Amino acid sequence: MISIILKRVLDSVPTIIIGITLTFLIVHLAPGDPGIRFLDPSQSPEIQQVIQKRFGLNEPLYIQYWNWVKRVLFHFDFGNSFYNGKPSSEVLRSALLPTILLAGCALVFALITGILLGILAAIRSNTFTDRTITIIMMLFFSTPAFWLGIMFLGVFSIQLGWLPSSHLTSLYHDQLNTIGRFTDYIKHLFLPVLTLGLPLAATFFRYIRSGVIEALRSDYILGARARGIGHNKILFRYCLKNSLLPIISLLGVIIPALLSGAVIVEVIFSLPGMGRTMVSAVFGRDYPIILAASILAFFAVVAGNLIADITYSIIDPRIRYQTRKNS
Amino acid sequence: MSLLTVENLSVVNSPSGRSISILRNISFSLNSGETLAVIGETGSGKSMLCKSIIGLLPPGFSRSGNIWYISSDNTKISIITAEESDLLNMRGREIGMVFQEAVASLNPVVRCGNQITDVLSVKSKIEKNKRKKHALKLLETVGLSEPERIFHAYPHQLSGGMTQRVALALALAGEPQLLIADEPSSSLDSISKKYYLNLLNRLKQENNLTLILVTHDVDEALSFADNILVLYAGCMTEYGRTGDIQKSPAHPYTKALLDIARALKENNLPAAIPGEISSLTNPPPGCRFHPRCPKAQDICRVKEPSSICISNSHSVRCFFLVDLS
Ligand code: SF4
């Protein structure tokens, strides 16, 4: 098992290198430069050059790239933000928590909703319940996150005023006791999590529903029924475990989707997370931040795939067997 | 006493308003400790017969007639009208079943041993900590020499013969009285097949099982069964003691099957029955066998023959019986 994991980690090194290099090139070759934030076009070229020099942007691109790689590899230094001078790692660290909270809660919410509704629809397949759930889930599946987010904001925050419309905490958050802080987080995260989680829940729902329906028709379920195994055990031990497999392999794709979804949701709900940090870094051409955030995103995606593969092989012995045979 | 009595069992499938007759008027009875072989070509409704006895017809299929079963505490149960909860209780404990594709009938993601203990947990009174030991013993009884390894193996790691025996262990875990074996050996090679059938016979004797053996191998039926039921396109063409059927098959179809089996045994190229088995969705009128029957007359094309009793244990459905001399 450990050798398989190591092999997979090594396999992903080229992906990360290529990904980061491409990001570096795209960021630097895109029109506009960090100077625009500080410069007035009417300022003299001399001042512009001074600023360029300060940021190391006057060197040829390959030297810039090499310097950057050296710093990252040998000093683990991702550079300071062009904008506020803080180290990238610090900027990202403070942005990480909201994103992890948001994405994690959305994933858990989507898994629970998707699986429960999927099973319910499958055992009631082709009835009114099934059709209703399926139609509602398809609506969420095909609704873009930004529209859903804006609708939630409009209805629940602005019209009804039930939930806050932005930020992760209230202004008076620090004065609250533990329970108060907790509910404060929940209130602020509720709509963002729904916005990010509902389309995902719809994806899970589709897989679970068809997986359970297929499993219920399969020979091994017939076999289990012929042996007199009860309905609940058949559903949870026999059907669900098999229908979870496609979802686990999906996790590899879902983590990038969650991250890119988080960007939109964080912008809509003004959450101080990675997504928003990244967006403002891109607008400000804050190269160190963009690059550091990209590296983090690459690692998240690679790790997601790895975790998916490992879980998959734990749940499905057939895969474990094959990988062992192949390696 | 008859353990199982089937009276006029018919199974109908009604997809989108049409009704397709899958089985028609099947009647037989099976004494405790005896073996019934059900023979017929693919598509004759053998599997459906098994599934209706254990109450596991797919959705959209309905049964009529009667299936009586005498349970181990001597109560007479009507399987057709029984509640699903009672049937659930009976499956595994009263009636066990093994399927043609053993590996498909096992859960691919649960270890073989745990599948057995799953059954033991609901079908026997064995305490939790003794279940593994019992499961290992069961694996040994079905002739698996490394029970510990098989216990921890997943179905895909075992050979066809092994999975078929694991499936048998699973079916026997609840100590049923009646075992339905739906073509259990058809996917095995000839050596494993022979081994498996001998094992089945031995277990049958040891556990005083009553057996329904579905097969398309006539020889297998002749050598193992006490009674034979011949199915053709969902109709019961002939039913009787094995000796009677072997000596004097009365139905042209039975005779053709026996002739083929004999020719195969003597290494001759048998003359196949001309034509194909008639479809269940659009069966021919009259006797369903008439398009292929060498003895068919005009009446066979319009009228369905009813069951004739040649002796009290031998019945046949045909207007023009094979020469009984
Ligand atoms: S009833 Fe007629 S067609 Fe049918 S088996 Fe007998 S002889 Fe042949």
Side-chain angles (χ1 to χ4, degrees):
Chain A
M1 191 52 140
I2 292 177
S3 66
I4 296 175
I5 297 176
L6 266 180
K7 190 168 169 284
R8 291 298 321 266
V9 172
L10 287 180
D11 280 352
S12 47
V13 170
T15 321
I16 294 185
I17 293 178
I18 294 175
I20 291 171
T21 312
L22 276 179
T23 317
F24 185 92
L25 287 177
I26 292 172
V27 165
H28 280 79
L29 296 178
D33 69 74
I36 51 174
R37 234 185 171 137
F38 310 102
L39 290 177
D40 182 333
S42 58
Q43 271 166 333
S44 67
E46 287 77 34
I47 298 179
Q48 287 194 20
Q49 264 170 13
V50 170
I51 291 176
Q52 293 240 330
K53 199 164 176 199
R54 219 189 110 205
F55 291 148
L57 297 171
N58 52 346
E59 315 260 14
L61 202 52
Y62 65 91
I63 302 223
Q64 284 185 45
Y65 179 64
W66 178 236
N67 287 339
W68 180 72
V69 169
K70 257 196 320 203
R71 252 198 341 234
V72 169
L73 278 189
F74 301 123
H75 306 283
F76 212 65
D77 173 11
F78 293 90
N80 294 350
S81 163
F82 288 167
Y83 178 53
N84 56 17
K86 283 189 193 161
S88 309
S89 50
E90 199 177 295
V91 174
L92 292 185
R93 200 177 314 132
S94 63
L96 209 54
L97 179 77
T99 304
I100 289 181
L101 262 179
L102 172 66
C105 292
L107 187 62
V108 171
F109 165 80
L111 278 173
I112 295 176
T113 330
I115 290 176
L116 289 183
L117 289 179
I119 294 179
L120 182 66
I123 49 181
R124 299 268 159 83
S125 76
N126 289 326
T127 61
F128 179 73
T129 323
D130 172 33
R131 290 202 191 99
T132 320
I133 302 177
T134 308
I135 289 176
I136 294 176
M137 287 321 249
M138 283 312 103
L139 275 180
F140 285 126
F141 181 74
S142 38
T143 311
F146 70 85
W147 188 83
L148 201 61
I150 292 170
M151 284 302 126
F152 280 152
L153 261 185
V155 176
F156 295 105
S157 302
I158 295 165
Q159 294 284 334
L160 299 170
W162 289 349
L163 291 160
S165 63
S166 65
H167 294 99
L168 190 59
T169 52
S170 326
L171 283 175
Y172 48 85
H173 182 80
D174 291 338
Q175 295 147 28
L176 296 167
N177 58 11
T178 326
I179 299 173
R181 283 186 196 180
F182 186 70
T183 36
D184 194 41
Y185 273 129
I186 291 188
K187 269 193 202 159
H188 282 85
L189 276 173
F190 194 81
L191 291 180
V193 165
L194 277 192
T195 312
L196 191 58
L198 276 173
L200 199 59
T203 316
F204 291 152
F205 166 81
R206 283 186 2 163
Y207 279 87
I208 291 285
R209 181 182 174 273
S210 60
V212 172
I213 289 180
E214 199 190 299
L216 280 174
R217 284 202 202 113
S218 70
D219 285 351
Y220 64 84
I221 294 299
L222 186 68
R225 293 180 64 200
R227 282 165 221 139
I229 309 260
H231 294 303
N232 288 341
K233 197 159 192 177
I234 284 189
L235 203 55
F236 289 99
R237 183 164 168 89
Y238 285 70
C239 284
L240 188 59
K241 199 171 170 193
N242 285 284
S243 348
L244 278 180
L245 294 176
I247 292 229
I248 292 164
S249 54
L250 265 190
L251 279 184
V253 199
I254 280 166
I255 289 179
L258 263 179
L259 286 179
S260 53
V263 174
I264 297 167
V265 174
E266 282 170 14
V267 172
I268 296 176
F269 291 95
S270 312
L271 295 176
M274 289 278 290
R276 221 178 51 150
T277 310
M278 189 115 159
V279 169
S280 52
V282 169
F283 283 135
R285 300 288 184 275
D286 197 347
Y287 295 162
I289 301 284
I290 301 176
L291 287 169
S294 313
I295 292 178
L296 212 60
F298 279 123
F299 272 107
V301 171
V302 169
N305 274 310
L306 197 61
I307 293 169
D309 283 357
I310 294 168
T311 335
Y312 202 99
S313 75
I314 288 174
I315 292 204
D316 192 343
R318 288 166 292 188
I319 300 289
R320 202 183 317 156
Y321 188 60
Q322 267 171 16
T323 10
R324 205 178 295 152
K325 253 176 147 178
N326 295 342
S327 61
Chain B
M1 194 175 49
S2 303
L3 179 74
L4 182 77
T5 312
V6 175
E7 295 168 352
N8 286 322
L9 172 72
S10 295
V11 171
V12 175
N13 178 19
S14 357
S16 54
R18 277 189 333 139
S19 94
I20 299 167
S21 153
I22 307 287
L23 287 176
R24 274 165 89 86
N25 294 324
I26 312 285
S27 300
F28 65 88
S29 69
L30 183 56
N31 290 340
S32 177
E34 286 194 337
T35 300
L36 168 75
V38 180
I39 58 176
E41 290 161 277
T42 310
S44 56
K46 293 172 295 187
S47 287
M48 283 302 159
L49 178 60
C50 301
K51 286 178 187 159
S52 23
I53 295 173
I54 201 165
L56 283 179
L57 283 175
F61 287 71
S62 57
R63 300 172 292 184
S64 61
N66 263 318
I67 303 177
W68 297 103
Y69 175 82
I70 311 282
S71 70
S72 41
D73 56 4
N74 257 325
T75 31
K76 193 172 177 181
I77 297 168
S78 159
I79 291 184
I80 292 199
T81 53
E83 294 284 325
E84 176 56 28
S85 58
D86 293 331
L87 287 177
L88 182 67
N89 213 358
M90 279 175 67
R91 288 186 205 118
R93 193 176 290 152
E94 293 283 347
I95 306 178
M97 182 162 173
V98 282
F99 296 84
Q100 184 171 358
E101 284 286 336
V103 72
S105 78
L106 303 177
N107 190 337
V109 299
V110 176
R111 290 177 202 277
C112 293
N114 294 344
Q115 301 196 39
I116 301 183
T117 49
D118 273 357
V119 178
L120 289 176
S121 70
V122 282
K123 294 293 158 184
S124 77
K125 294 196 180 76
I126 298 170
E127 289 154 46
K128 198 169 180 191
N129 50 4
K130 296 199 180 123
R131 281 183 203 143
K132 181 176 178 191
K133 215 169 136 208
H134 191 82
L136 291 173
K137 217 175 86 201
L138 270 170
L139 289 171
E140 234 167 285
T141 0
V142 294
L144 289 162
S145 51
E146 298 170 278
E148 188 75 37
R149 181 175 80 83
I150 311 273
F151 186 94
H152 292 288
Y154 290 97
H156 65 272
Q157 296 170 317
L158 304 176
S159 72
M162 284 170 163
T163 43
Q164 195 55 265
R165 276 175 273 162
V166 171
L168 186 57
L170 274 164
L172 295 178
E175 299 179 10
Q177 302 190 77
L178 172 66
L179 179 69
I180 303 173
D182 184 3
E183 304 206 38
S185 61
S186 65
S187 56
L188 303 179
D189 60 79
S190 60
I191 296 172
S192 330
K193 189 171 180 168
K194 209 160 176 189
Y195 184 92
Y196 184 83
L197 288 168
N198 286 332
L199 170 78
L200 206 58
N201 214 23
R202 199 194 79 217
L203 289 171
K204 187 194 147 213
Q205 251 123 50
E206 284 172 6
N207 302 317
N208 193 26
L209 280 173
T210 309
L211 184 66
I212 296 180
L213 178 68
V214 174
T215 175
H216 54 245
D217 184 335
V218 177
D219 252 345
E220 200 175 296
L222 292 176
S223 48
F224 280 98
D226 304 296
N227 303 289
I228 290 182
L229 190 159
V230 187
L231 275 183
Y232 182 81
C235 294
M236 185 171 125
T237 54
E238 190 161 2
Y239 167 66
R241 306 293 293 176
T242 308
D244 294 343
I245 289 196
Q246 187 166 21
K247 245 188 287 144
S248 46
H251 195 281
Y253 180 59
T254 320
K255 181 158 188 320
L257 287 178
L258 287 173
D259 286 345
I260 291 175
R262 193 168 313 123
L264 276 173
K265 218 173 181 179
E266 289 161 1
N267 276 329
N268 291 334
L269 207 61
I273 308 174
E276 283 167 17
I277 189 164
S278 56
S279 82
L280 292 174
T281 41
N282 199 5
C287 171
R288 286 190 177 185
F289 187 55
H290 85 248
R292 302 170 77 186
C293 181
K295 304 187 67 164
Q297 309 278 324
D298 287 345
I299 185 170
C300 307
R301 295 181 188 102
V302 286
K303 202 166 169 234
E304 201 179 335
S306 51
S307 178
I308 307 166
C309 289
I310 303 173
S311 68
N312 58 2
S313 61
H314 191 175
S315 62
V316 60
R317 276 174 195 270
C318 174
F319 293 117
F320 306 99
L321 303 186
V322 177
D323 196 1
L324 285 175
S325 59

